[in-house]
Amino acid sequence: MTATFAELWNGIAPIGRARNGGYLRYALEEPELVLRDWFRNQAARRDMPVTDDGNGNLFAWWGDQWGQDAVLTGSHFDSVPHGGGFDGPLGIVSGFLAVDELRRLGHTPRRPIAVVAFVEEEGGRFGVPCLGSRLLTGAIEPAQAAALTDREGITFGEALGDTPAGRLPGLTSRIGALIELHIEQGRALEVPVGVASAIWPHGRWRFDFTGHGDHAGTTRMADRRDPMLTFAYTVLAANKEARLNGAHATMARVEVEPNATNAIPSLVRGWLDARAAETGTLDAVVEAVIKRATERAGRDGTELTVTNESFSTEVTFEKPLAARIAALLGEAPVLPTGAGHDAGVLSAHVPTAMLFVRNPTGVSHSPAEHADEADCVEGINALARVLGDLT
Amino acid sequence: MTATFAELWNGIAPIGRARNGGYLRYALEEPELVLRDWFRNQAARRDMPVTDDGNGNLFAWWGDQWGQDAVLTGSHFDSVPHGGGFDGPLGIVSGFLAVDELRRLGHTPRRPIAVVAFVEEEGGRFGVPCLGSRLLTGAIEPAQAAALTDREGITFGEALGDTPAGRLPGLTSRIGALIELHIEQGRALEVPVGVASAIWPHGRWRFDFTGHGDHAGTTRMADRRDPMLTFAYTVLAANKEARLNGAHATMARVEVEPNATNAIPSLVRGWLDARAAETGTLDAVVEAVIKRATERAGRDGTELTVTNESFSTEVTFEKPLAARIAALLGEAPVLPTGAGHDAGVLSAHVPTAMLFVRNPTGVSHSPAEHADEADCVEGINALARVLGDLT
């Protein structure tokens, strides 16, 4: 078994790719199910038995399954709609290839190693990001997760085929560490491989703007209660508040009822994605956006309700582990990120670290996302060194 | 055959009604096809042979089919998404019941009378309003109409089963007049029945805002090229320009790619519906909106292309006909409307008039649209008097 990066990568590249080059890999739907089959197949080729945790997360084992103090490595298969191919799958492919490299070197691990594929990391289908790792760690109730619906009304429980199992018994003794390799998602990394220091706190808020559906041609401007106006104002307010506070805020998803050219909407629903280096800043930005949106709703004659759909507190990865890895990799740069990851969820319970692979354009969540093959290979070698060092 | 208004109305009320009470009656799809069957059935009960014009418009004849100088009456079955039940169907139901009333009175028409159901009046499926009447009068090329697509990529030609036949040969000698009865769509009518004087010029423009898809969490605010910002600014600019100029402008429909919470969009597509009492005002409003949107795109680093999807010039209904009808109805009020109608399209070719039935709330294109039964019955009696007077 001496697969190269290119062989494995080219094997999954066509799966779920749309004509614009972006990916439509939603959790537990056709292309992602094909990737899960690919995962089982790669594990079988390496004599790595596969278990799942009853939450939709898959584990391929080198050593005792659910033995004590295992070192996990991996990421997720699912994409945002029309996202890039590296965000997630690079960590899983690299996990299998790092195992190959350790075996080639004759390494005999003293702790179990598992390659892991977390389910629904993007929240692209059921709305809650890192759903698989939240379930595994007990950060979300199984019944609540089971009831989450996709855009067609299918629940997560139905897609999974069962109510999720929830928190892994003996989590903190069984999982000794998680090392997640991931493409970097900004332009902050100028060498092939870096180490994560922290993840910004971030969250998603749904803004339901309700107004009064009516005829766009006949309703006098003064008589309108048009929720599209309140939404539009809020989009601009979110952008301004983020810039004023050195945070990130985005309204990138919108649903309109009835969404017809000649009918004033009765409902406009927009989602706010907000992130900042500190929780206090994040809270201030979200509070300011809600305040301004509410004031505008008063002027527009519309109504606003805001629902926090997810919130991820600030993550600081274990400093001694990050320092040890950075030293091992020849003083690799240590840097924070604004992107959420399963490693961030696990970091509240077990030692976690992340390796970042350089992103030359900084583009992610887009068909244009790219990493150079040579950097990916350096990432695999770095991951193998880290896993070898830890086991 | 002595059906009452309530009998006919209750017979069609459940067809295509959604749970919110609004209607999903798209042209040449299931519920509208059921209504077309209902049309053929009502015609058969009255010994009125049905023809179609090869464009999807249906005609039920009392007297010579396509004889000279026929008087048409009717409207359309299709709705905007989640629109009301009166907009369109009231005119068709009233047409059949007016025929019943004339027969009850022993009227013998000297000219053919036809009840007509025009196809795709709202443009809710294929994007061009009054598509059936535009084809009938030659206002759109059959090949162009055939190529229009719905949201699933099905063409109008495919839905129709053939290339449309286009302009009716001998149009102006065969059709002597069209009297369209319609629910009024504002709050301008304070008695049960009124007569239309004019339709405001109006049109639809598609704004394609393109930017740069990227990660909402990691992309610095300064590096973004977010087309949602340009769209949002344009929504507010359109509203402001309409108010400043005494016109109507609405952006009520939007499509976003990829429409994911954590991905800056690569494309936001919004539709502008604009109307004004005079063409000069309408032009000025649309020009100002495009100018301001273009300037903002420059600041946002996005790009804008604008496509005019439809334009309907100002319609002034034939004044002697409107005056004759108003007098016949006991000096009924004569009033303009901002809403487009098939009668407006036909008015460029043959004498046309419209009867409006009072709308107590002024709401239309909404589940809340309503007309009182007593007013609808007055509308039918008025239509019977007008048809009797003309034939």
Coordinates of all heavy atoms in Angstrom, one line a residue, chain A residues 5 9 25 73-80 83-95 116 118 120-122 130 178-186 189 191-196 198-199 275 317 329 333 335-344 353-360 362-366 369-372 375-380 382-383, chain B residues 215 218 262:
Chain A
F5 N -0.4 11.0 -2.7 CA -1.4 12.0 -2.5 C -2.3 12.2 -3.8 O -3.5 12.2 -3.7 CB -0.8 13.4 -2.1 CG -1.8 14.5 -2.1 CD1 -2.8 14.6 -1.1 CD2 -1.8 15.5 -3.1 CE1 -3.7 15.6 -1.1 CE2 -2.8 16.5 -3.1 CZ -3.7 16.5 -2.1
W9 N -6.3 11.8 -4.0 CA -7.0 13.1 -4.3 C -7.8 13.0 -5.6 O -9.0 13.4 -5.6 CB -6.0 14.2 -4.3 CG -6.7 15.5 -4.2 CD1 -6.9 16.5 -5.1 CD2 -7.4 16.0 -3.0 NE1 -7.6 17.5 -4.6 CE2 -7.9 17.3 -3.3 CE3 -7.6 15.5 -1.7 CZ2 -8.7 18.0 -2.4 CZ3 -8.3 16.2 -0.8 CH2 -8.8 17.5 -1.1
R25 N -21.6 18.7 -1.5 CA -21.4 17.5 -0.7 C -22.1 17.8 0.7 O -21.5 18.3 1.6 CB -20.0 17.2 -0.4 CG -19.2 16.7 -1.7 CD -17.7 16.8 -1.4 NE -16.9 16.1 -2.5 CZ -15.6 16.2 -2.5 NH1 -14.9 16.9 -1.6 NH2 -14.9 15.6 -3.5
T73 N -7.0 11.7 14.2 CA -6.7 12.7 13.2 C -7.7 12.6 12.1 O -8.3 11.5 11.8 CB -5.3 12.6 12.6 OG1 -5.0 13.7 11.8 CG2 -5.2 11.3 11.8
G74 N -8.1 13.7 11.4 CA -9.1 13.7 10.4 C -9.8 15.0 10.3 O -9.4 16.0 10.9
S75 N -11.0 15.0 9.6 CA -11.7 16.2 9.4 C -13.1 15.8 8.9 O -13.7 14.9 9.5 CB -11.0 17.2 8.4 OG -11.5 18.4 8.4
H76 N -13.6 16.5 7.9 CA -15.0 16.2 7.5 C -15.1 16.1 5.9 O -14.3 16.7 5.2 CB -16.0 17.3 8.0 CG -15.6 18.7 7.5 ND1 -16.1 19.2 6.3 CD2 -14.7 19.6 7.9 CE1 -15.6 20.4 6.1 NE2 -14.7 20.7 7.1
F77 N -16.1 15.5 5.4 CA -16.3 15.4 4.0 C -17.3 16.4 3.5 O -17.2 16.8 2.3 CB -16.9 14.0 3.6 CG -16.0 12.8 3.6 CD1 -16.2 11.7 4.4 CD2 -14.8 12.9 2.9 CE1 -15.4 10.6 4.4 CE2 -13.9 11.8 2.9 CZ -14.2 10.7 3.6
D78 N -18.2 16.9 4.3 CA -19.3 17.7 3.7 C -18.7 19.1 3.4 O -17.7 19.6 4.0 CB -20.4 17.9 4.7 CG -20.1 18.6 6.0 OD1 -19.1 18.1 6.7 OD2 -20.7 19.6 6.4
S79 N -19.4 19.7 2.4 CA -19.0 21.1 1.9 C -20.1 22.1 2.2 O -21.2 21.7 2.4 CB -18.7 21.0 0.4 OG -19.9 20.9 -0.3
V80 N -19.7 23.4 2.1 CA -20.8 24.4 1.9 C -21.3 24.2 0.5 O -20.5 23.7 -0.4 CB -20.3 25.8 2.2 CG1 -19.9 26.0 3.6 CG2 -19.2 26.2 1.3
G83 N -18.8 24.9 -2.4 CA -17.6 25.2 -1.8 C -16.4 24.5 -2.5 O -16.6 23.9 -3.5
G84 N -15.2 24.7 -1.9 CA -14.0 24.0 -2.5 C -13.9 22.6 -2.0 O -14.6 22.1 -1.2
G85 N -12.9 21.9 -2.7 CA -12.7 20.5 -2.4 C -11.8 20.2 -1.2 O -11.7 19.1 -0.7
F86 N -11.0 21.2 -0.8 CA -10.0 21.0 0.2 C -10.5 21.1 1.6 O -10.0 20.4 2.5 CB -8.8 22.0 0.0 CG -8.1 21.8 -1.3 CD1 -8.5 22.3 -2.4 CD2 -6.9 21.0 -1.3 CE1 -7.8 22.1 -3.6 CE2 -6.2 20.8 -2.5 CZ -6.7 21.3 -3.6
D87 N -11.5 22.0 1.8 CA -12.0 22.3 3.1 C -12.7 21.0 3.7 O -13.8 20.7 3.4 CB -13.0 23.4 3.0 CG -13.7 23.8 4.3 OD1 -13.5 23.1 5.3 OD2 -14.5 24.8 4.3
G88 N -12.0 20.3 4.5 CA -12.5 19.0 5.1 C -11.7 17.8 4.6 O -10.9 17.2 5.3
P89 N -12.0 17.4 3.3 CA -11.5 16.1 2.8 C -9.9 16.1 2.9 O -9.4 15.0 3.0 CB -12.0 16.1 1.4 CG -13.3 16.8 1.4 CD -13.1 17.9 2.4
L90 N -9.3 17.2 2.8 CA -7.8 17.2 2.8 C -7.3 16.6 4.1 O -6.3 15.9 4.2 CB -7.2 18.6 2.7 CG -5.7 18.7 2.7 CD1 -5.1 17.9 1.5 CD2 -5.2 20.2 2.7
G91 N -8.0 16.8 5.2 CA -7.6 16.3 6.5 C -7.8 14.8 6.6 O -7.0 14.1 7.3
I92 N -8.8 14.3 5.9 CA -9.1 12.8 6.0 C -8.1 12.1 5.1 O -7.5 11.1 5.5 CB -10.5 12.6 5.6 CG1 -11.5 13.3 6.5 CG2 -10.8 11.1 5.5 CD1 -13.0 13.2 6.1
V93 N -7.9 12.6 3.9 CA -6.9 12.0 3.0 C -5.6 12.0 3.6 O -4.8 11.0 3.5 CB -7.0 12.8 1.6 CG1 -5.7 12.4 0.8 CG2 -8.3 12.5 0.9
S94 N -5.2 13.1 4.2 CA -3.9 13.3 4.8 C -3.7 12.3 6.0 O -2.6 11.8 6.2 CB -3.6 14.7 5.3 OG -3.7 15.6 4.2
G95 N -4.8 12.0 6.7 CA -4.8 11.1 7.8 C -4.4 9.7 7.3 O -3.5 9.1 7.9
V116 N -10.5 10.0 11.4 CA -11.9 10.2 11.7 C -12.5 11.1 10.6 O -11.8 12.0 10.1 CB -12.1 10.9 13.1 CG1 -11.2 12.1 13.3 CG2 -13.5 11.2 13.4
F118 N -15.8 13.4 10.6 CA -16.9 14.0 11.3 C -18.0 14.3 10.4 O -17.8 14.7 9.2 CB -16.5 15.3 12.1 CG -15.5 15.1 13.2 CD1 -14.2 15.4 13.1 CD2 -16.0 14.5 14.4 CE1 -13.3 15.2 14.1 CE2 -15.1 14.3 15.5 CZ -13.7 14.6 15.3
E120 N -21.4 16.5 9.1 CA -22.1 17.8 9.1 C -21.3 18.9 9.9 O -21.7 19.5 10.8 CB -23.5 17.7 9.8 CG -24.4 18.9 9.9 CD -25.0 19.4 8.6 OE1 -24.5 18.9 7.5 OE2 -25.9 20.3 8.6
E121 N -20.0 19.1 9.4 CA -19.2 20.1 10.0 C -19.6 21.5 9.6 O -19.5 22.4 10.4 CB -17.7 19.9 9.6 CG -16.7 20.7 10.5 CD -16.4 22.0 9.9 OE1 -16.7 22.3 8.7 OE2 -15.7 22.8 10.6
E122 N -20.1 21.6 8.3 CA -20.4 23.0 7.8 C -21.8 23.5 8.3 O -22.1 24.6 8.2 CB -20.3 23.0 6.3 CG -19.0 22.6 5.7 CD -18.0 23.8 5.9 OE1 -18.3 24.8 6.5 OE2 -16.8 23.6 5.4
C130 N -20.5 21.8 12.9 CA -19.8 20.8 13.8 C -20.9 20.0 14.6 O -20.7 19.6 15.8 CB -19.0 21.6 14.8 SG -17.7 22.5 14.0
L178 N -6.7 15.1 19.6 CA -7.2 15.2 18.2 C -6.2 16.2 17.5 O -6.0 17.3 17.9 CB -8.6 15.7 18.1 CG -9.1 16.2 16.7 CD1 -9.1 15.0 15.7 CD2 -10.4 16.9 16.7
I179 N -5.7 15.7 16.4 CA -4.8 16.6 15.5 C -5.6 16.7 14.2 O -5.7 15.7 13.4 CB -3.4 15.9 15.3 CG1 -2.8 15.4 16.5 CG2 -2.6 16.9 14.5 CD1 -2.5 16.5 17.6
E180 N -6.2 17.9 13.9 CA -6.9 18.1 12.7 C -6.1 18.9 11.7 O -5.6 20.0 12.0 CB -8.3 18.8 13.0 CG -9.0 19.0 11.7 CD -10.5 19.5 11.9 OE1 -10.9 19.7 13.0 OE2 -11.2 19.8 10.9
L181 N -5.9 18.3 10.5 CA -5.2 19.0 9.5 C -6.2 19.7 8.6 O -7.2 19.0 8.2 CB -4.3 18.1 8.7 CG -3.5 18.7 7.5 CD1 -2.1 18.1 7.3 CD2 -4.3 18.6 6.2
H182 N -6.0 20.9 8.2 CA -7.0 21.6 7.4 C -6.4 22.7 6.5 O -5.3 23.2 6.9 CB -8.0 22.4 8.4 CG -9.3 22.6 7.8 ND1 -9.6 23.7 6.9 CD2 -10.5 22.0 7.9 CE1 -10.9 23.7 6.6 NE2 -11.5 22.7 7.2
I183 N -7.0 22.9 5.4 CA -6.5 24.0 4.5 C -6.7 25.3 5.3 O -7.7 25.5 6.0 CB -7.2 24.1 3.2 CG1 -6.5 25.2 2.3 CG2 -8.7 24.2 3.3 CD1 -7.0 25.1 0.8
E184 N -5.7 26.2 5.3 CA -5.9 27.5 5.9 C -6.9 28.3 5.1 O -7.0 28.1 3.9 CB -4.6 28.3 5.9 CG -4.4 29.2 7.2 CD -5.0 30.5 7.0 OE1 -4.5 31.2 6.0 OE2 -5.8 31.0 7.8
Q185 N -7.7 29.2 5.7 CA -8.8 29.8 5.0 C -8.7 31.3 4.9 O -9.6 32.0 4.5 CB -10.1 29.4 5.6 CG -10.3 27.8 5.4 CD -11.5 27.3 6.1 OE1 -11.5 27.2 7.4 NE2 -12.5 26.9 5.4
G186 N -7.5 31.8 5.1 CA -7.2 33.2 4.8 C -5.9 33.3 4.1 O -5.4 32.3 3.5
L189 N -0.9 32.5 6.1 CA 0.2 31.5 6.2 C 1.1 31.6 5.0 O 0.6 31.3 3.9 CB -0.4 30.1 6.4 CG 0.5 28.9 6.6 CD1 1.4 29.1 7.8 CD2 -0.3 27.6 6.6
V191 N 4.2 30.0 4.6 CA 5.0 28.8 4.4 C 4.0 27.6 4.3 O 2.8 27.7 4.6 CB 5.9 28.5 5.6 CG1 6.9 29.7 5.7 CG2 5.2 28.4 6.9
P192 N 4.5 26.4 3.9 CA 3.5 25.3 3.6 C 2.7 24.9 4.7 O 1.5 24.6 4.5 CB 4.4 24.2 3.1 CG 5.6 24.9 2.5 CD 5.9 26.1 3.4
V193 N 3.2 24.9 6.0 CA 2.5 24.3 7.1 C 2.6 25.2 8.3 O 3.7 25.7 8.6 CB 3.0 22.9 7.4 CG1 2.3 22.3 8.6 CG2 2.9 21.9 6.2
G194 N 1.5 25.4 9.0 CA 1.4 26.2 10.2 C 0.6 25.4 11.3 O 0.1 24.4 11.0
V195 N 0.6 26.0 12.5 CA -0.1 25.4 13.6 C -1.1 26.4 14.2 O -0.8 27.6 14.3 CB 0.9 25.0 14.7 CG1 0.2 24.4 15.9 CG2 2.0 24.1 14.1
A196 N -2.3 25.9 14.5 CA -3.3 26.8 15.0 C -3.1 27.2 16.5 O -2.7 26.4 17.3 CB -4.7 26.2 14.9
A198 N -5.7 29.5 18.0 CA -7.0 29.8 18.5 C -8.0 29.9 17.4 O -7.7 30.0 16.2 CB -6.9 31.2 19.2
I199 N -9.3 29.8 17.8 CA -10.4 30.0 16.9 C -11.2 31.1 17.4 O -11.6 31.1 18.6 CB -11.3 28.7 16.7 CG1 -10.5 27.6 16.1 CG2 -12.5 29.1 15.8 CD1 -11.3 26.3 15.9
R275 N -18.2 37.0 13.7 CA -17.0 36.4 14.4 C -16.1 37.6 14.8 O -16.1 38.6 14.2 CB -16.2 35.5 13.4 CG -17.2 34.7 12.6 CD -16.4 33.6 11.8 NE -17.4 32.9 10.9 CZ -17.3 31.7 10.6 NH1 -16.3 30.9 11.0 NH2 -18.2 31.1 9.8
F317 N -6.3 26.7 21.6 CA -5.7 25.4 21.6 C -4.6 25.2 22.6 O -4.0 26.2 22.9 CB -5.2 25.0 20.2 CG -6.3 24.9 19.1 CD1 -6.5 25.8 18.1 CD2 -7.2 23.8 19.2 CE1 -7.5 25.7 17.2 CE2 -8.2 23.6 18.3 CZ -8.3 24.6 17.3
L329 N 8.2 20.8 14.0 CA 8.1 21.1 12.5 C 9.1 22.2 12.2 O 8.9 22.9 11.2 CB 6.7 21.5 12.2 CG 5.6 20.4 12.4 CD1 4.2 20.9 12.0 CD2 5.9 19.1 11.7
P333 N 5.0 28.5 12.0 CA 4.2 29.6 12.5 C 3.0 29.2 13.2 O 2.4 28.2 12.8 CB 3.9 30.5 11.3 CG 4.1 29.6 10.1 CD 5.1 28.5 10.5
L335 N -0.8 30.5 14.4 CA -1.7 31.5 14.0 C -3.1 31.2 14.3 O -3.5 30.0 14.3 CB -1.5 31.8 12.5 CG -2.0 30.8 11.5 CD1 -2.0 31.4 10.1 CD2 -1.0 29.6 11.4
P336 N -3.9 32.2 14.6 CA -5.4 32.0 14.8 C -6.2 32.0 13.5 O -5.7 32.3 12.5 CB -5.8 33.3 15.6 CG -4.9 34.3 15.0 CD -3.6 33.7 14.6
T337 N -7.4 31.6 13.6 CA -8.3 31.6 12.5 C -9.7 32.0 12.8 O -10.1 31.9 14.0 CB -8.4 30.1 11.8 OG1 -9.3 30.2 10.7 CG2 -8.9 29.1 12.8
G338 N -10.4 32.5 11.9 CA -11.8 32.9 12.1 C -12.8 31.8 11.7 O -14.0 31.9 11.9
A339 N -12.3 30.7 11.3 CA -13.1 29.6 10.8 C -13.3 28.6 12.0 O -12.4 28.3 12.7 CB -12.5 28.9 9.6
G340 N -14.5 28.1 12.1 CA -14.8 27.0 13.1 C -14.4 25.7 12.6 O -14.3 25.4 11.4
H341 N -14.1 24.8 13.5 CA -13.6 23.4 13.2 C -14.1 22.5 14.3 O -14.2 22.8 15.4 CB -12.1 23.4 13.1 CG -11.5 24.2 12.0 ND1 -11.7 23.9 10.6 CD2 -10.9 25.4 12.0 CE1 -11.1 24.8 9.9 NE2 -10.6 25.8 10.7
D342 N -14.2 21.2 13.9 CA -14.5 20.1 14.9 C -13.4 20.1 16.0 O -13.7 19.9 17.2 CB -14.5 18.8 14.2 CG -15.7 18.7 13.3 OD1 -16.9 18.9 13.7 OD2 -15.5 18.3 12.1
A343 N -12.2 20.4 15.7 CA -11.1 20.5 16.7 C -11.4 21.5 17.8 O -11.1 21.3 18.9 CB -9.8 20.8 16.0
G344 N -12.1 22.6 17.4 CA -12.5 23.6 18.3 C -13.5 23.0 19.3 O -13.4 23.3 20.5
A353 N -5.1 19.9 18.6 CA -4.2 20.9 17.8 C -4.6 20.8 16.4 O -5.3 19.9 15.9 CB -2.8 20.5 18.0
M354 N -4.3 21.8 15.6 CA -4.6 21.9 14.2 C -3.3 22.2 13.4 O -2.5 23.1 13.8 CB -5.6 22.9 13.9 CG -7.0 22.5 14.4 SD -8.3 23.6 13.8 CE -8.4 23.0 12.1
L355 N -3.2 21.5 12.3 CA -2.2 21.9 11.3 C -2.9 22.5 10.1 O -3.9 22.0 9.7 CB -1.4 20.6 10.8 CG -0.7 19.8 11.8 CD1 0.1 18.6 11.0 CD2 0.3 20.6 12.5
F356 N -2.3 23.7 9.7 CA -2.9 24.4 8.5 C -1.9 24.2 7.3 O -0.7 24.3 7.5 CB -3.0 25.9 8.8 CG -4.2 26.2 9.7 CD1 -4.0 27.1 10.7 CD2 -5.4 25.6 9.6 CE1 -5.0 27.5 11.6 CE2 -6.4 25.9 10.5 CZ -6.2 26.9 11.5
V357 N -2.5 23.9 6.2 CA -1.8 23.9 4.9 C -2.0 25.2 4.2 O -3.2 25.7 4.1 CB -2.2 22.7 4.1 CG1 -1.6 22.7 2.7 CG2 -1.8 21.4 4.8
R358 N -1.0 25.7 3.6 CA -1.0 27.1 3.0 C -2.1 27.2 1.9 O -2.3 26.3 1.1 CB 0.3 27.4 2.4 CG 0.4 28.7 1.6 CD 1.8 29.1 1.3 NE 2.6 28.1 0.6 CZ 3.9 28.2 0.4 NH1 4.5 29.3 0.8 NH2 4.5 27.3 -0.2
N359 N -2.8 28.3 1.9 CA -3.8 28.6 0.9 C -3.3 29.8 0.1 O -3.4 31.0 0.6 CB -5.1 28.9 1.7 CG -6.3 29.2 0.7 OD1 -6.1 29.7 -0.4 ND2 -7.5 28.9 1.2
P360 N -2.8 29.6 -1.1 CA -2.1 30.7 -1.7 C -2.9 31.9 -2.1 O -2.4 33.1 -2.1 CB -1.5 30.1 -3.0 CG -2.2 28.8 -3.2 CD -2.7 28.4 -1.8
G362 N -6.0 32.5 -0.4 CA -6.8 32.8 0.8 C -8.3 32.5 0.6 O -9.1 32.7 1.5
V363 N -8.6 32.1 -0.6 CA -10.0 31.8 -0.9 C -10.5 30.5 -0.4 O -9.8 29.5 -0.5 CB -10.3 31.9 -2.5 CG1 -11.7 31.4 -2.8 CG2 -10.0 33.3 -3.0
S364 N -11.7 30.5 0.2 CA -12.3 29.3 0.7 C -13.8 29.4 0.6 O -14.3 30.5 0.4 CB -11.8 28.9 2.1 OG -12.2 27.6 2.5
H365 N -14.5 28.3 0.8 CA -16.0 28.3 0.6 C -16.3 28.8 -0.7 O -17.3 29.6 -0.9 CB -16.7 29.1 1.7 CG -16.7 28.4 3.0 ND1 -17.5 28.8 4.1 CD2 -16.1 27.3 3.5 CE1 -17.3 28.0 5.1 NE2 -16.4 27.1 4.8
S366 N -15.6 28.4 -1.7 CA -15.7 28.9 -3.1 C -15.1 27.9 -4.0 O -14.1 27.2 -3.6 CB -15.0 30.2 -3.3 OG -14.7 30.5 -4.6
E369 N -11.2 27.8 -4.3 CA -10.3 27.4 -3.2 C -9.2 26.4 -3.8 O -9.5 25.6 -4.6 CB -11.2 26.6 -2.1 CG -10.3 26.1 -1.0 CD -11.2 25.1 -0.1 OE1 -11.4 24.0 -0.5 OE2 -11.6 25.6 1.0
H370 N -8.0 26.6 -3.3 CA -6.9 25.8 -3.9 C -5.7 25.7 -2.9 O -5.4 26.6 -2.1 CB -6.4 26.5 -5.2 CG -5.2 25.7 -5.8 ND1 -5.4 24.5 -6.4 CD2 -3.9 26.0 -5.8 CE1 -4.2 24.1 -6.8 NE2 -3.3 24.9 -6.4
A371 N -5.1 24.5 -2.9 CA -3.8 24.3 -2.2 C -2.9 23.6 -3.2 O -3.3 22.8 -4.0 CB -4.0 23.5 -1.0
D372 N -1.6 24.0 -3.2 CA -0.7 23.4 -4.1 C -0.4 21.9 -3.7 O -0.3 21.7 -2.5 CB 0.7 24.2 -4.2 CG 0.5 25.4 -4.9 OD1 -0.5 25.6 -5.7 OD2 1.3 26.4 -4.7
D375 N 2.5 21.5 -1.2 CA 2.1 21.9 0.1 C 1.3 20.8 0.8 O 1.5 20.6 2.0 CB 1.4 23.3 0.2 CG 2.3 24.5 -0.2 OD1 3.5 24.3 -0.3 OD2 1.7 25.6 -0.3
C376 N 0.4 20.2 0.1 CA -0.4 19.1 0.7 C 0.5 18.0 1.1 O 0.3 17.4 2.2 CB -1.4 18.6 -0.3 SG -2.7 19.9 -0.7
V377 N 1.5 17.7 0.3 CA 2.5 16.6 0.6 C 3.3 17.0 1.9 O 3.5 16.2 2.8 CB 3.4 16.3 -0.6 CG1 4.5 15.3 -0.2 CG2 2.6 15.7 -1.7
E378 N 3.7 18.2 1.9 CA 4.4 18.7 3.2 C 3.5 18.6 4.4 O 3.9 18.2 5.5 CB 4.9 20.1 3.0 CG 6.1 20.2 2.0 CD 7.1 21.2 2.6 OE1 7.3 21.3 3.8 OE2 7.7 21.9 1.7
G379 N 2.2 18.8 4.2 CA 1.2 18.7 5.3 C 1.1 17.3 5.8 O 1.1 17.0 7.0
I380 N 1.1 16.3 4.8 CA 1.0 14.9 5.2 C 2.3 14.5 6.0 O 2.2 13.8 7.0 CB 0.9 14.1 3.9 CG1 -0.5 14.3 3.3 CG2 1.1 12.6 4.2 CD1 -0.6 13.9 1.9
A382 N 4.2 16.4 7.7 CA 4.2 17.0 9.0 C 3.2 16.3 10.0 O 3.6 16.0 11.1 CB 3.8 18.5 8.9
L383 N 2.1 15.9 9.4 CA 1.1 15.2 10.2 C 1.7 13.8 10.7 O 1.5 13.4 11.9 CB -0.2 15.0 9.4 CG -1.3 14.2 10.1 CD1 -1.8 14.9 11.4 CD2 -2.5 14.0 9.2
Chain B
H215 N -14.9 32.7 2.1 CA -15.2 32.3 3.4 C -15.7 33.5 4.3 O -15.0 34.4 4.4 CB -14.0 31.6 4.1 CG -14.4 30.8 5.3 ND1 -14.9 31.3 6.4 CD2 -14.2 29.4 5.5 CE1 -15.1 30.3 7.3 NE2 -14.7 29.2 6.8
T218 N -13.2 34.0 7.5 CA -11.8 34.2 7.5 C -11.4 35.4 6.6 O -10.3 35.9 6.7 CB -11.1 33.0 6.9 OG1 -11.6 32.6 5.7 CG2 -11.2 31.8 7.9
N262 N -22.3 30.8 5.8 CA -20.9 31.0 6.0 C -20.0 31.2 4.7 O -18.8 31.0 4.7 CB -20.2 30.0 6.9 CG -20.5 28.6 6.3 OD1 -21.1 28.4 5.3 ND2 -19.9 27.6 6.9

